[in-house]
Amino acid sequence: MRPSERAPDQLRAVTLETGVNRYAEGSCLVTFGHTKVLVTASVDEGVPGWMRGKGAGWVTAEYGMLPRATHTRGRREAAQGKQSGRTQEIQRLIGRSLRAVVDMKALGERQIQIDCDVVQADGGTRTASITGAWVALRLATRYLLDEGVIKTDPILDQVAAVSCGVFNDLPVLDLDYEEDSSAEADSNFVLTGNGDIVEIQATGEKRGFTRAEFEALYGLAEKGINELFALQRAAIER
Amino acid sequence: MRPSERAPDQLRAVTLETGVNRYAEGSCLVTFGHTKVLVTASVDEGVPGWMRGKGAGWVTAEYGMLPRATHTRGRREAAQGKQSGRTQEIQRLIGRSLRAVVDMKALGERQIQIDCDVVQADGGTRTASITGAWVALRLATRYLLDEGVIKTDPILDQVAAVSCGVFNDLPVLDLDYEEDSSAEADSNFVLTGNGDIVEIQATGEKRGFTRAEFEALYGLAEKGINELFALQRAAIER
Amino acid sequence: MRPSERAPDQLRAVTLETGVNRYAEGSCLVTFGHTKVLVTASVDEGVPGWMRGKGAGWVTAEYGMLPRATHTRGRREAAQGKQSGRTQEIQRLIGRSLRAVVDMKALGERQIQIDCDVVQADGGTRTASITGAWVALRLATRYLLDEGVIKTDPILDQVAAVSCGVFNDLPVLDLDYEEDSSAEADSNFVLTGNGDIVEIQATGEKRGFTRAEFEALYGLAEKGINELFALQRAAIER
Amino acid sequence: MRPSERAPDQLRAVTLETGVNRYAEGSCLVTFGHTKVLVTASVDEGVPGWMRGKGAGWVTAEYGMLPRATHTRGRREAAQGKQSGRTQEIQRLIGRSLRAVVDMKALGERQIQIDCDVVQADGGTRTASITGAWVALRLATRYLLDEGVIKTDPILDQVAAVSCGVFNDLPVLDLDYEEDSSAEADSNFVLTGNGDIVEIQATGEKRGFTRAEFEALYGLAEKGINELFALQRAAIER
Amino acid sequence: MRPSERAPDQLRAVTLETGVNRYAEGSCLVTFGHTKVLVTASVDEGVPGWMRGKGAGWVTAEYGMLPRATHTRGRREAAQGKQSGRTQEIQRLIGRSLRAVVDMKALGERQIQIDCDVVQADGGTRTASITGAWVALRLATRYLLDEGVIKTDPILDQVAAVSCGVFNDLPVLDLDYEEDSSAEADSNFVLTGNGDIVEIQATGEKRGFTRAEFEALYGLAEKGINELFALQRAAIER
Amino acid sequence: MRPSERAPDQLRAVTLETGVNRYAEGSCLVTFGHTKVLVTASVDEGVPGWMRGKGAGWVTAEYGMLPRATHTRGRREAAQGKQSGRTQEIQRLIGRSLRAVVDMKALGERQIQIDCDVVQADGGTRTASITGAWVALRLATRYLLDEGVIKTDPILDQVAAVSCGVFNDLPVLDLDYEEDSSAEADSNFVLTGNGDIVEIQATGEKRGFTRAEFEALYGLAEKGINELFALQRAAIER
């Protein structure tokens, strides 16, 4: 039995609320149960120095967690003077995941900067961030199309992500914090709308885990991500 | 005429929503018009090294702004590796303002850490932070009283803050960003429930300003802060 | 009775010695009693990137304290790898105060960098810095005029500053360290030659303080700053 | 055809030379073709503060790359003042991988610090590091057993790692730099001696990739890692 | 001919003014011509962690340069967030030089912190710092003796320093900035009162230089340092 | 008797192995007994900003030590976020030493970056670094000549370095760690092929030392460096 009494293949309640920031070209407040991430997509007319003159754009992401997003207050990274290894790892993952579904030539020499700020954390913040970031990115690129800044839609496909794990020897979908902190194995799947792999990360936490268990997690992820795709499409409907 | 069509002595719509974070001992989402600040108060059973053994507590504050809280995206301080001078100045002000109404002996050797994170900025983020932080602090200390951790209420009085300025030669209350960015003078008043001064900061921006203008701002601030006190009391009613 | 036996409205002995650095375009060693600050004004033919091409100049300030300027040795900020929040707050105040009396167009696209280094501290280092910095700035701009680098005098007015506070319930002018460390309220006034406000900072330290007390401090500041203006004029006489 | 003319399931020449540092309790120079990583395992009698008093040990890893390990010289992280996100991600992976096969109670309250320094890089530095680090760790723990410092062998199993990828639509084992830089998909597998998963990381680089391709990579990895296990066992034979 | 018209073996005017800081246990303003360094010696009742419990003291030094100490303004190290390699090299030299003449056991478990802040630079700041630092140190230890804090004089001997160089093929004593910036060779000698070497640093700047030239510099240094010893003794006379 | 049983004027076994890095334009693994330093010379087509447009090149050096190069593991500078004062002092010395024998005009507007990474340390790492760095630099410039990138050989002479010290009152050549850690005096000599001084650093460690002792060290250094010159010439023979 899962602590939340969910079925093994059941997502938490997921919401994707758009238009939550009055300045950003795209924004989305994504919730997976008690996990809440505020995502903004900001258009920057310019690209990093190493990309200039190539006629192509870029998508990058930053991730942060408010100090009291967690059960006990964590230290503020800005006050500590550096981002943790975990933070950097997550924001690199978010950026890679989004870039996998963007046609950089169609975007032109401009950058879309994604900010994912975790307002409240209950497990799965990186996968919620990716799922919500796609919505914000979709809205920001639609804005560029509507304004006539770009002619061709740079979004090639959807991308969404979910975590799965082995909890009390049972493969389950969408771990919350209580499950995550005692799971035997933890994994994150990032898939595109056509089912291709963008990224898989799987880690044995308490023990190594078997290929059979891994295959079960993979199946759960495919089911959950398909549900997320439907929610994403609903969120961006005008 | 103010851009927002408000009367010179009229606050923006102010809301103080409590209980917005499921982990923090006290929390408040404060809005002044389009300015939104998420405040949490976290109890830490321990004090900084230099305060140990004195039988007294401490209240400290940190302030941050999400990168896209503003019209154009700002750089993330955690990524830059340091907090700006402005950020440090504001968080020092918030901490001082709250400590002015706290009996540190009654708090005992524990610290309350206030986090003010600006989700959306439209002028007056520091004064909104102080006003909301008092609510979060009030809730966190009530929690300590309810739990029997402390016996005596450490909150001695209310504290709230508002900005005023000279805009087009007219003294006005509660500047929004459009007013703030072209005001001739800008000031922040932090007052206690009994009307005493905790802090006054007044700066000539476009030009120096006169003592008469300053006195007018002071009067507006007293009126506005009294309205904020009523809103604070309503917010913490059970 | 004040520890220094001064009258409530009496400044400490103030000196403004010019020409104390053989390289700087303007320099001034300012003393307020035992407080000594070495100020240099350096002309830099160039402005920060964000100001280029606007045909206007800039004035900026940095502040530091020698480690043993104080009763007990403080840590060297360069060795610690960052400037404290206090240092940044003070140097921002000095820069704002000076810019209030400078015509940036008349200065042309060049920057004047003010360095205020506290050699010995006995209270009031920020107000002494501002008062001395105006002298160094005045000399550096006179140098530019004498050299024919600029045609129009960019100095619009004098600016000077003083601290006042409530000490043993008595409003007093120009706090020394002993008074400052036990004052009930502390304030800094920065005024222009024509009496306008550039900046007011007032803080209740031990307790909140009343509007009446604040008005008394304001009156003391006006008296003291007028005396400082006379000393500044004497210092820059050729 | 692979640039190196290797068969799709063929590892590069792999060597594991032990005893390469006269001070370290365990050391190993691991080469995968032109990739060379110098690994040391250092015993530290003490654990990080958050682990004290629990009667258990810790294994941690740091990773670095000499500036000219690569085709063009990279910047020295020590001179830049921080480790890159990539470096932190890799050293976190190495630490997790090793801890998966260590009995921390058997190790006692001491720490083994692994240093992986890439002397020359030609792809696969993180997987080579893990493979070599196990050897260094095995030697350091044997030293502790031989010296009588610990009684029970803390090493529960072998762990090794290899990269696989899709190169010109062909799944191949052990990518070198030329393959890696143009592969469609890249993955790292970390497995234990009994075949369990410690970590899988799979990323679509040029395009998303299919579940079938992923399964092929998994099979290649299992084959390659079994060969690495045999080499590890040979390396630590006395 | 030297630019200053000094004889090859002639020091600049050297002054050692004591008692220049009202808080420091020892202080000295040292000038070598236009070079001015303010030195304080601060007693700290405690030693660094790695020295605790050994019954011995420590002497350490920090060095800094005010931004406009030089012809063109340099950047403030505190604002840059780090001390330059040059600064660290100099302060390490000052510390080593002083420790060579201190009996650490006689000092007891306390530290004397020397701060050398260059107010104006015209060459030879590190050697002026050492020469003045000995005076400040001598005064601080005399204070400890006078107060009865220590019983035995920890100062074993004098130490002083001077620079020499080859300028226009002529060996000369005590380089000023104009000479230093075009010298063929530059050297710093730190000697004790009995003529022993504490430190020699000699560098070919424009060209390598010969052993004969080096011996000539050594002779000049011995002459100059003997004159400095006499000035030091005069400075500390009561 | 020396711990290593060497004669007072006897170098340790010195080897200079070239071609140890497949990417660098020049490389050398230098060993002095158990001290091993890996040196690479990297050609960078460009010079630092302050040198642009002068038609001259630059040679610079960085130095690092692997954490377990020493008896007990040291902290990794990249993880600490800064290079120690010692590291900076050494890399500045290496750079100066090499530049003394390079014709920067002949090099053209390009930079050669030397990296000296200590793989194992047993005393004398800075002098070994200089000695090996000359070999790597020689090979990199030969490469530029062979490729026709430059026409004139920029290498004007050899440069090599050795340490000497007073150990148990006996002047000895080429200190190993055991000698170094208890020597009364320590010195480093950097000389050119024609015998000129590039740099001398001599420090009294346990006590000051006499001019006679210094002269003895100088003689030992000349002998040792002449042997190193022969080894350098042998190493670069094709």
Side-chain angles (χ1 to χ4, degrees):
Chain A
M1 179 69 88
R2 306 179 70 175
S4 61
E5 308 198 356
R6 281 185 282 149
D9 65 350
Q10 189 182 348
L11 288 173
R12 289 176 284 181
V14 172
T15 65
L16 294 157
E17 182 186 355
T18 61
V20 294
N21 177 299
R22 72 190 318 250
Y23 307 125
E25 287 76 12
S27 66
C28 178
L29 176 66
V30 51
T31 67
F32 274 58
H34 295 303
T35 290
K36 298 187 195 180
V37 186
L38 184 55
V39 186
T40 56
S42 301
V43 175
D44 174 13
E45 289 296 322
V47 287
W50 57 272
M51 289 205 60
R52 264 173 225 145
K54 299 187 179 172
W58 194 242
V59 176
T60 189
E62 288 184 357
Y63 169 95
M65 205 180 252
L66 298 194
R68 196 55 195 274
T70 46
H71 288 76
T72 55
R73 185 179 180 275
R75 294 185 61 183
R76 184 178 292 266
E77 290 188 330
Q80 290 197 273
K82 63 175 189 170
Q83 294 179 297
S84 71
R86 178 186 172 276
T87 290
Q88 291 185 65
E89 194 170 314
I90 291 173
Q91 65 193 13
R92 283 156 54 90
L93 170 64
I94 299 168
R96 277 199 309 273
S97 297
L98 296 173
R99 288 193 294 272
V101 295
V102 175
D103 175 350
M104 295 300 171
K105 290 283 179 187
L107 186 55
E109 280 209 24
R110 60 183 54 80
Q111 188 171 228
I112 300 185
Q113 295 175 302
I114 303 292
D115 286 289
C116 299
D117 284 278
V118 180
V119 170
Q120 195 167 273
D122 188 34
T125 65
R126 80 185 70 187
T127 47
S129 293
I130 292 167
T131 302
W134 183 84
V135 172
L137 176 65
R138 167 71 288 184
L139 295 174
T141 51
R142 181 190 286 169
Y143 166 85
L144 290 173
L145 285 164
D146 288 353
E147 295 289 311
V149 178
I150 58 176
K151 303 296 175 199
T152 312
D153 187 351
I155 302 298
L156 302 171
D157 200 349
Q158 287 178 257
V159 69
V162 79
S163 76
C164 304
V166 179
F167 175 74
N168 286 344
D169 296 319
L170 181 74
V172 295
L173 176 66
D174 187 21
L175 302 173
D176 58 29
Y177 177 77
E178 187 174 349
E179 291 169 329
D180 191 28
S181 56
S182 65
E184 291 93 26
D186 182 18
S187 64
N188 297 295
F189 288 83
V190 188
L191 302 179
T192 65
N194 72 4
D196 281 351
I197 301 164
V198 173
E199 185 111 6
I200 296 174
Q201 296 178 333
T203 307
E205 298 279 351
K206 292 276 175 311
R207 57 168 171 83
F209 61 116
T210 65
R211 187 161 177 174
E213 285 173 323
F214 176 77
E215 300 296 343
L217 298 183
Y218 201 152
L220 289 169
E222 288 181 322
K223 174 181 180 295
I225 286 176
N226 278 332
E227 294 175 29
L228 295 173
F229 285 143
L231 291 166
Q232 285 180 331
R233 286 189 302 266
I236 62 168
E237 265 182 28
R238 301 194 191 227
Chain B
M1 179 70 89
R2 305 178 71 173
S4 61
E5 308 196 356
R6 282 184 283 149
D9 67 348
Q10 189 182 350
L11 289 174
R12 289 175 283 182
V14 173
T15 64
L16 294 158
E17 181 187 355
T18 60
V20 295
N21 176 300
R22 71 190 320 251
Y23 308 126
E25 286 76 12
S27 65
C28 178
L29 177 66
V30 52
T31 67
F32 275 57
H34 295 302
T35 290
K36 295 187 197 179
V37 186
L38 184 55
V39 186
T40 54
S42 300
V43 176
D44 175 12
E45 291 295 323
V47 287
W50 56 272
M51 289 205 59
R52 264 174 225 143
K54 301 188 179 170
W58 194 243
V59 174
T60 187
E62 288 185 357
Y63 170 95
M65 205 180 253
L66 297 194
R68 195 57 194 275
T70 46
H71 287 76
T72 54
R73 184 180 180 276
R75 294 185 61 185
R76 184 178 291 267
E77 290 188 330
Q80 290 197 270
K82 63 174 188 171
Q83 294 180 298
S84 71
R86 178 186 173 276
T87 292
Q88 291 183 68
E89 194 170 314
I90 292 173
Q91 65 193 12
R92 283 156 54 90
L93 170 63
I94 300 168
R96 277 200 308 274
S97 298
L98 296 172
R99 287 192 294 271
V101 295
V102 175
D103 175 350
M104 295 301 171
K105 290 283 180 188
L107 187 54
E109 279 208 25
R110 58 183 56 79
Q111 187 171 227
I112 299 185
Q113 295 175 303
I114 303 293
D115 287 287
C116 299
D117 285 276
V118 180
V119 170
Q120 196 168 270
D122 188 34
T125 64
R126 81 186 70 188
T127 46
S129 294
I130 291 166
T131 303
W134 183 83
V135 173
L137 176 64
R138 168 71 287 182
L139 295 175
T141 51
R142 180 190 288 170
Y143 166 85
L144 291 173
L145 286 163
D146 288 352
E147 294 289 310
V149 178
I150 57 178
K151 303 296 175 197
T152 311
D153 187 351
I155 302 298
L156 302 171
D157 200 348
Q158 286 178 259
V159 68
V162 79
S163 76
C164 304
V166 180
F167 174 73
N168 287 344
D169 295 319
L170 181 73
V172 295
L173 176 65
D174 187 20
L175 302 173
D176 58 30
Y177 177 79
E178 189 175 347
E179 292 170 328
D180 189 28
S181 56
S182 65
E184 291 94 26
D186 182 18
S187 64
N188 296 296
F189 289 83
V190 187
L191 304 178
T192 64
N194 73 2
D196 281 353
I197 300 164
V198 173
E199 184 113 5
I200 296 175
Q201 296 178 334
T203 308
E205 297 279 351
K206 292 276 175 310
R207 57 168 171 83
F209 62 115
T210 64
R211 188 162 178 174
E213 286 173 322
F214 176 78
E215 301 295 343
L217 298 182
Y218 201 151
L220 289 170
E222 288 180 324
K223 173 182 181 295
I225 286 176
N226 279 331
E227 293 174 32
L228 295 173
F229 285 143
L231 290 166
Q232 285 180 332
R233 286 189 300 267
I236 61 168
E237 266 183 25
R238 302 198 191 221
Chain C
M1 180 68 89
R2 305 179 72 174
S4 61
E5 308 195 356
R6 282 185 282 149
D9 66 349
Q10 188 182 349
L11 288 175
R12 289 176 283 181
V14 173
T15 64
L16 293 158
E17 180 186 356
T18 60
V20 295
N21 177 299
R22 71 189 319 250
Y23 307 125
E25 288 76 12
S27 66
C28 178
L29 177 66
V30 51
T31 67
F32 274 58
H34 295 303
T35 289
K36 298 188 196 180
V37 186
L38 184 55
V39 186
T40 56
S42 301
V43 175
D44 174 13
E45 289 296 322
V47 286
W50 57 272
M51 289 204 60
R52 263 172 225 145
K54 299 187 179 171
W58 194 242
V59 175
T60 188
E62 288 184 357
Y63 169 94
M65 205 180 252
L66 298 195
R68 195 58 195 273
T70 45
H71 287 76
T72 54
R73 184 180 180 274
R75 294 185 60 184
R76 183 178 292 267
E77 290 188 330
Q80 289 197 273
K82 63 174 189 172
Q83 294 180 297
S84 71
R86 178 185 172 277
T87 291
Q88 291 183 67
E89 195 170 314
I90 292 173
Q91 64 193 13
R92 283 156 55 90
L93 170 64
I94 299 168
R96 276 199 310 274
S97 297
L98 296 173
R99 288 192 295 272
V101 295
V102 176
D103 175 351
M104 295 300 171
K105 289 283 179 189
L107 187 55
E109 280 209 23
R110 59 183 55 80
Q111 187 172 228
I112 298 185
Q113 295 175 303
I114 303 294
D115 287 287
C116 300
D117 285 277
V118 180
V119 170
Q120 196 167 272
D122 188 34
T125 65
R126 79 186 70 188
T127 47
S129 294
I130 292 167
T131 302
W134 183 84
V135 172
L137 176 65
R138 168 70 287 184
L139 295 174
T141 50
R142 180 190 288 170
Y143 166 86
L144 291 174
L145 286 163
D146 289 351
E147 295 288 310
V149 178
I150 58 178
K151 303 294 175 202
T152 312
D153 187 350
I155 301 299
L156 303 170
D157 200 350
Q158 286 178 258
V159 69
V162 79
S163 76
C164 305
V166 180
F167 174 74
N168 286 344
D169 295 319
L170 180 73
V172 295
L173 176 66
D174 186 23
L175 302 173
D176 58 30
Y177 177 78
E178 189 174 349
E179 291 170 329
D180 190 28
S181 56
S182 65
E184 290 94 25
D186 181 19
S187 64
N188 297 296
F189 289 82
V190 188
L191 304 179
T192 64
N194 73 3
D196 281 353
I197 300 164
V198 174
E199 184 111 8
I200 296 174
Q201 295 178 335
T203 307
E205 297 280 351
K206 291 277 175 310
R207 55 166 171 84
F209 62 115
T210 65
R211 188 161 178 174
E213 286 172 322
F214 176 78
E215 300 296 344
L217 298 183
Y218 202 151
L220 289 170
E222 288 180 323
K223 172 181 182 295
I225 286 176
N226 278 331
E227 294 174 31
L228 295 174
F229 284 144
L231 291 166
Q232 286 180 331
R233 284 189 302 266
I236 61 167
E237 265 182 27
R238 302 197 191 221
Chain D
M1 178 70 88
R2 307 178 70 174
S4 61
E5 307 197 356
R6 280 185 284 150
D9 66 348
Q10 189 182 349
L11 289 173
R12 289 176 284 182
V14 172
T15 64
L16 294 159
E17 181 186 356
T18 60
V20 296
N21 176 300
R22 73 191 318 251
Y23 307 124
E25 287 76 13
S27 66
C28 178
L29 176 67
V30 52
T31 68
F32 275 57
H34 295 303
T35 290
K36 295 187 198 180
V37 186
L38 185 55
V39 187
T40 55
S42 301
V43 176
D44 175 13
E45 290 294 324
V47 288
W50 56 272
M51 288 205 62
R52 264 173 225 145
K54 299 188 179 170
W58 194 244
V59 175
T60 188
E62 289 185 355
Y63 170 95
M65 206 180 252
L66 298 195
R68 196 56 195 273
T70 46
H71 287 76
T72 55
R73 184 178 180 276
R75 294 185 60 184
R76 184 178 291 267
E77 291 188 328
Q80 290 197 271
K82 64 174 186 169
Q83 294 180 299
S84 71
R86 178 186 172 277
T87 291
Q88 291 184 67
E89 195 171 314
I90 292 174
Q91 65 193 12
R92 283 157 53 91
L93 170 62
I94 299 168
R96 278 200 308 275
S97 297
L98 296 173
R99 288 192 293 272
V101 294
V102 175
D103 175 350
M104 294 301 172
K105 290 284 180 187
L107 187 54
E109 280 208 25
R110 57 183 57 79
Q111 189 171 225
I112 299 185
Q113 295 175 303
I114 303 293
D115 287 286
C116 299
D117 285 277
V118 180
V119 170
Q120 194 168 273
D122 188 35
T125 64
R126 80 185 70 187
T127 46
S129 293
I130 292 167
T131 303
W134 184 83
V135 172
L137 176 64
R138 167 71 288 184
L139 296 174
T141 50
R142 180 191 285 171
Y143 166 85
L144 291 173
L145 285 164
D146 288 352
E147 295 289 311
V149 178
I150 58 176
K151 303 295 175 199
T152 312
D153 188 350
I155 302 298
L156 302 170
D157 200 349
Q158 285 178 259
V159 68
V162 79
S163 77
C164 306
V166 180
F167 175 73
N168 287 343
D169 295 320
L170 181 73
V172 295
L173 176 66
D174 187 20
L175 302 173
D176 57 30
Y177 177 76
E178 189 174 348
E179 291 170 328
D180 191 28
S181 57
S182 65
E184 290 94 26
D186 182 18
S187 64
N188 297 296
F189 288 84
V190 187
L191 304 179
T192 64
N194 73 3
D196 281 352
I197 300 164
V198 173
E199 184 112 6
I200 296 175
Q201 297 178 333
T203 308
E205 297 280 351
K206 292 275 175 309
R207 57 167 171 83
F209 63 116
T210 64
R211 187 161 178 174
E213 285 172 323
F214 175 77
E215 301 295 345
L217 297 183
Y218 201 152
L220 289 169
E222 288 180 323
K223 175 181 179 294
I225 286 175
N226 279 330
E227 294 174 31
L228 295 174
F229 285 144
L231 290 166
Q232 285 180 331
R233 287 188 300 266
I236 61 168
E237 267 183 25
R238 303 203 189 215
Chain E
M1 178 71 87
R2 307 178 71 173
S4 60
E5 308 196 356
R6 281 185 284 149
D9 66 349
Q10 189 182 349
L11 289 174
R12 290 176 282 182
V14 173
T15 64
L16 294 158
E17 181 186 355
T18 60
V20 295
N21 177 298
R22 72 191 318 253
Y23 307 125
E25 286 76 12
S27 65
C28 178
L29 177 66
V30 51
T31 67
F32 275 58
H34 295 303
T35 290
K36 297 188 197 179
V37 186
L38 185 55
V39 186
T40 55
S42 301
V43 176
D44 175 13
E45 291 295 323
V47 287
W50 56 272
M51 287 205 60
R52 263 173 225 145
K54 299 188 181 171
W58 193 241
V59 174
T60 188
E62 287 185 358
Y63 169 95
M65 205 180 252
L66 298 195
R68 195 57 194 274
T70 46
H71 287 76
T72 55
R73 184 179 181 276
R75 295 185 60 185
R76 185 178 290 267
E77 290 188 330
Q80 290 197 271
K82 63 172 188 171
Q83 295 179 298
S84 70
R86 178 185 172 278
T87 292
Q88 291 183 66
E89 195 170 312
I90 292 173
Q91 65 193 13
R92 284 156 53 90
L93 170 63
I94 299 169
R96 276 200 309 274
S97 298
L98 296 173
R99 288 192 294 272
V101 294
V102 176
D103 174 350
M104 296 300 171
K105 290 283 179 187
L107 187 55
E109 280 208 26
R110 59 183 56 79
Q111 188 172 226
I112 299 184
Q113 295 175 303
I114 303 293
D115 286 288
C116 299
D117 285 277
V118 180
V119 170
Q120 195 168 272
D122 188 34
T125 64
R126 80 186 68 188
T127 46
S129 294
I130 292 166
T131 303
W134 184 83
V135 172
L137 176 65
R138 166 72 287 183
L139 295 174
T141 50
R142 180 190 286 169
Y143 167 85
L144 290 174
L145 286 164
D146 288 352
E147 295 289 310
V149 178
I150 57 176
K151 302 296 174 198
T152 311
D153 188 349
I155 302 298
L156 302 170
D157 200 349
Q158 286 177 259
V159 68
V162 79
S163 77
C164 305
V166 180
F167 175 73
N168 287 342
D169 295 319
L170 182 72
V172 296
L173 176 66
D174 187 21
L175 302 173
D176 58 30
Y177 177 77
E178 189 175 348
E179 291 170 329
D180 190 28
S181 57
S182 64
E184 291 94 26
D186 182 18
S187 63
N188 297 296
F189 288 83
V190 187
L191 303 180
T192 63
N194 72 4
D196 281 352
I197 301 164
V198 173
E199 184 112 5
I200 297 174
Q201 295 178 334
T203 307
E205 296 280 351
K206 293 274 175 311
R207 57 167 171 84
F209 61 116
T210 64
R211 188 161 178 175
E213 286 173 322
F214 176 78
E215 300 296 345
L217 298 182
Y218 202 152
L220 289 169
E222 288 180 324
K223 173 180 181 296
I225 286 176
N226 279 331
E227 294 173 32
L228 296 173
F229 285 144
L231 291 166
Q232 286 180 331
R233 285 189 301 265
I236 61 169
E237 266 182 26
R238 302 201 192 219
Chain F
M1 180 70 89
R2 306 178 70 174
S4 61
E5 308 197 354
R6 282 186 282 149
D9 66 350
Q10 188 182 350
L11 290 174
R12 289 176 285 181
V14 173
T15 64
L16 293 159
E17 182 185 355
T18 61
V20 295
N21 176 299
R22 72 189 318 250
Y23 307 126
E25 287 76 12
S27 66
C28 178
L29 177 66
V30 51
T31 67
F32 275 57
H34 295 303
T35 290
K36 297 187 196 179
V37 186
L38 185 55
V39 186
T40 55
S42 300
V43 175
D44 176 12
E45 290 295 323
V47 286
W50 56 272
M51 288 204 61
R52 264 173 225 145
K54 300 188 180 171
W58 194 243
V59 175
T60 188
E62 289 184 358
Y63 169 95
M65 206 180 252
L66 298 195
R68 196 56 195 275
T70 45
H71 287 77
T72 56
R73 185 179 180 274
R75 294 185 61 184
R76 183 177 292 266
E77 291 188 330
Q80 289 198 271
K82 64 173 187 170
Q83 295 179 298
S84 71
R86 178 186 173 276
T87 291
Q88 291 184 66
E89 194 171 314
I90 292 174
Q91 63 192 13
R92 284 157 54 91
L93 170 63
I94 299 168
R96 277 200 310 273
S97 298
L98 295 173
R99 288 193 294 272
V101 295
V102 175
D103 175 350
M104 295 300 172
K105 289 283 178 187
L107 187 55
E109 279 208 24
R110 58 183 56 79
Q111 188 172 227
I112 299 185
Q113 295 175 302
I114 303 294
D115 286 288
C116 300
D117 285 278
V118 180
V119 170
Q120 195 167 273
D122 188 34
T125 64
R126 80 185 70 189
T127 46
S129 293
I130 292 167
T131 303
W134 183 84
V135 172
L137 176 65
R138 168 70 288 185
L139 294 175
T141 50
R142 181 191 287 170
Y143 166 85
L144 291 173
L145 286 164
D146 288 352
E147 295 288 311
V149 178
I150 58 177
K151 302 296 176 199
T152 311
D153 188 349
I155 301 298
L156 302 171
D157 200 350
Q158 285 178 260
V159 68
V162 79
S163 75
C164 305
V166 179
F167 175 74
N168 286 343
D169 296 319
L170 180 73
V172 294
L173 176 66
D174 187 22
L175 302 173
D176 57 30
Y177 177 78
E178 189 175 348
E179 290 170 330
D180 191 28
S181 56
S182 65
E184 289 95 25
D186 181 19
S187 64
N188 296 296
F189 288 83
V190 188
L191 304 179
T192 64
N194 72 3
D196 281 353
I197 300 164
V198 173
E199 184 112 5
I200 296 174
Q201 296 178 334
T203 308
E205 298 280 350
K206 291 276 175 309
R207 56 167 172 84
F209 61 116
T210 64
R211 189 161 177 174
E213 285 172 324
F214 176 77
E215 301 295 344
L217 297 183
Y218 201 152
L220 288 170
E222 287 181 324
K223 174 180 182 295
I225 286 177
N226 278 331
E227 293 174 32
L228 296 174
F229 285 143
L231 291 166
Q232 286 180 332
R233 286 190 301 267
I236 62 167
E237 266 181 26
R238 304 203 189 218

